[in-house]
Amino acid sequence: MIIDCHGHFTTAPPALGQWRERQIRAFEDSGARVSPGELVITDDEIRAAIEGGQLKLQRERGTDVTIFSPGAGKMAHHYGDEQTSLDWSRVSNDLIARVCALFPGRFIGACQLPQSPGEGLAASIGNSVAELERCVEELGFVGCLLNPDPSDGYWQAPPLTDRVYYPLYEKMAELDVPAMIHVAMSRNPALQGTCAHYLNGDTAAFMQLLMSDLFTDFPTLKLILPHGGGAVPYHWGRYRGFMLDQGRPPLEEAVLGNVFFDTCVYHRRGLELLLDVIPQENILFASEMIGAVRSVDPETGRRFDDTKYLLDSIGTVSDAVYGDNALRVFARLKGALK
């Protein structure tokens, strides 16, 4: 079974974005709320979006299952207040649940969390705990997206290792679900979203983990760094040296029991580096289709996000990378597939 651990509903029907625009505008203009009940999307609209997009590419590329979440860039946690974020997250997650129900066995949900920056962070973590529990226990989701920068480009929140996040980690450990550490949009003009903010987020979060004792406090916690871990594999030696300089445990001992990397790397040499540096038991197949990069690579004639084609061409990739690792990291996935 080929399991893609990283997919977003980037082809959602236009009504979703229109509802979100009205929600943001109403709050900014007067503090008013737009009811989630005002969003109307039919099953036929969802089928058309999926069948002409993600499902079509699954079949063409020979993948079986996608762990599916709301569009990461659209999480945009800086808008509004904690209630704004909670309403938006519930709307987005409920839509993912409908996709999974319409295409059973093809898409399994991972939820957006209703985070907020600034003074609302602590309250929003409480909301995130409740929303994670709802999505896992009521909707059958198997994971979540955790934004290390809810200020969306300005890095105004404490590190993910701060105790403000501990109630969320306690719930993740209780439910036995992992989080993919994934930033949202960037509103900082100095940080382009796709190629700067996303990769910077992966790299920055890894360093936060290295400087902490988070996994001593939560030994079963599982976190996934997308996009191949950003700069992490390329600078593995720097991280190893830092840990030695600081008298910290060896790098591999400190993180590889809890941190995993996906294969959203869009060229063969980058994937070869990832496979050379990171043990294959810590790598999960992923493509992020249809997502960050949608064009065709003139060097291969394939779309950049066809990572299965790239991995297949390497020839030394274990079956575990393609599926078994995802079943191990997403402990609820096997049950969801049944």
Side-chain angles (χ1 to χ4, degrees):
M1 180 176 288
I2 312 298
I3 301 170
D4 187 339
C5 78
H6 188 169
H8 302 298
F9 198 4
T10 53
T11 60
L16 179 68
Q18 294 164 3
W19 182 92
R20 174 63 162 164
E21 290 174 4
R22 290 195 297 115
Q23 183 203 34
I24 293 169
R25 186 168 58 250
F27 185 84
E28 290 181 344
D29 288 349
S30 64
R33 308 287 183 188
V34 175
S35 169
E38 296 181 25
L39 174 62
V40 178
I41 296 175
T42 67
D43 286 353
D44 285 344
E45 289 176 303
I46 295 173
R47 288 191 189 96
I50 294 293
E51 289 174 351
Q54 287 85 356
L55 185 62
K56 177 175 180 287
L57 293 179
Q58 277 186 345
R59 290 168 171 163
E60 289 178 356
R61 298 175 184 182
T63 63
D64 299 303
V65 183
T66 300
I67 297 175
F68 207 50
S69 57
K74 300 292 179 63
M75 293 189 296
H77 288 117
H78 70 278
Y79 284 117
D81 60 4
E82 303 95 274
Q83 188 63 46
T84 305
S85 190
L86 180 59
D87 289 345
W88 174 230
S89 295
R90 290 179 67 96
V91 162
S92 301
N93 293 332
D94 287 346
L95 187 60
I96 294 296
R98 291 177 64 189
V99 171
C100 298
L102 289 169
F103 299 94
R106 282 291 192 173
F107 299 92
I108 305 294
C111 66
Q112 171 180 318
L113 297 177
Q115 299 173 246
S116 291
E119 294 180 357
L121 178 61
S124 76
I125 294 301
N127 290 339
S128 295
V129 170
E131 180 63 2
L132 177 64
E133 187 169 45
R134 181 184 81 94
C135 288
V136 171
E137 296 191 340
E138 297 180 22
L139 304 183
F141 287 17
V142 298
C144 62
L145 303 180
L146 175 59
N147 186 355
D149 174 33
S151 67
D152 292 330
Y154 288 98
W155 291 91
Q156 296 168 341
L160 289 175
T161 52
D162 190 272
R163 287 186 173 272
V164 71
Y165 291 98
Y166 272 35
L168 177 62
Y169 298 147
E170 290 169 0
K171 182 57 65 174
M172 288 171 57
E174 175 191 327
L175 297 173
D176 200 6
V177 295
M180 177 172 284
I181 297 175
H182 204 309
V183 296
M185 66 174 290
S186 173
R187 59 192 177 109
N188 183 342
L191 283 177
Q192 190 274 342
T194 301
C195 295
H197 188 45
Y198 277 22
L199 305 184
N200 177 58
D202 308 330
T203 309
F206 184 74
M207 194 64 211
Q208 292 175 7
L209 299 175
L210 289 192
M211 296 172 66
S212 79
D213 295 314
L214 179 65
F215 301 127
T216 300
D217 293 339
F218 296 97
T220 64
L221 189 67
K222 296 187 287 289
L223 302 174
I224 301 161
L225 288 176
H227 321 116
V232 172
Y234 191 71
H235 288 291
W236 198 251
R238 178 179 288 246
Y239 296 119
R240 288 179 58 241
F242 172 84
M243 295 294 274
L244 288 170
D245 289 346
Q246 298 297 313
R248 304 280 298 166
L251 177 59
E252 291 80 2
E253 177 185 318
V255 297
L256 289 183
N258 306 85
V259 177
F260 302 85
F261 299 75
D262 81 12
T263 65
C264 290
V265 178
Y266 295 155
H267 68 131
R268 174 174 168 156
R269 293 180 68 185
L271 281 170
E272 288 174 333
L273 173 67
L274 176 67
L275 292 161
D276 284 345
V277 173
I278 305 299
Q280 291 202 19
E281 58 263 31
N282 286 79
I283 301 174
L284 280 64
F285 169 69
S287 69
E288 204 177 8
M289 64 99 176
I290 302 168
V293 177
R294 304 191 182 193
S295 55
V296 172
D297 185 346
E299 295 181 3
T300 66
R302 300 286 192 121
R303 293 187 183 275
F304 281 97
D305 63 8
D306 190 353
T307 53
K308 183 175 181 296
Y309 167 77
L310 294 173
L311 286 168
D312 290 347
S313 73
I314 294 172
T316 57
V317 183
S318 69
D319 290 342
V321 170
Y322 286 108
D324 291 346
N325 289 344
L327 290 170
R328 178 166 50 89
V329 173
F330 291 88
R332 289 176 173 262
L333 180 55
K334 185 176 292 186
L337 289 171
K338 289 179 182 179

